[in-house]
Amino acid sequence: MSRSIQILRICEKTKDLNGGLLRISDLVTIFNRSYPSNQIDYNDVLKAVDNVEKLGTGCRIIDGKYISTVPFELSGDQVALMKMAERTGYVSLAIARGSG
């Protein structure tokens, strides 16, 4: 089975937990644990996503850190909120407004 298919399977299995937006580092960890004889790294994920993205699967890399398997576009504000949440683990209204 190709790495691209294995990656898509992991994304599909975790979709209920993450809404279809999975951190690449988490994907690599899950993949390497699930397929110990077929280890991958960040660059392997980029290549695999590039391969399946050409097929119009809706799978793509967002902000160089996430793999998305849902057909949507993030606004600049949404990307900024994701970056804030990445630093603190959550985002509150006070943090989003810059007073938290």
Side-chain angles (χ1 to χ4, degrees):
M1 180 181 325
S2 78
R3 287 180 171 176
S4 299
I5 300 299
Q6 292 168 318
I7 286 170
L8 288 175
R9 282 187 172 180
I10 291 170
C11 290
E12 185 62 32
K13 286 180 182 178
T14 61
K15 201 175 208 175
D16 287 342
L17 300 172
N18 58 35
L21 192 63
L22 180 61
R23 186 184 301 256
I24 294 173
S25 59
D26 293 340
L27 171 67
V28 169
T29 300
I30 294 167
F31 187 102
N32 289 339
R33 217 178 313 136
S34 300
Y35 304 100
S37 63
N38 191 13
Q39 301 289 287
I40 64 169
D41 62 19
Y42 176 84
N43 290 325
D44 294 323
V45 174
L46 294 182
K47 289 176 195 171
V49 170
D50 185 54
N51 288 336
V52 297
E53 191 174 22
K54 294 173 186 172
L55 301 173
T57 61
C59 182
R60 67 183 173 275
I61 301 296
I62 297 179
D63 200 32
K65 296 181 183 180
Y66 299 91
I67 182 170
S68 170
T69 54
V70 291
F72 71 92
E73 292 293 324
L74 292 176
S75 71
D77 290 340
Q78 290 168 319
V79 170
L81 289 172
M82 278 180 26
K83 287 180 181 181
M84 286 179 207
E86 200 172 76
R87 287 191 301 270
T88 61
Y90 68 97
V91 176
S92 67
L93 186 57
I95 291 171
R97 288 186 174 158
S99 59

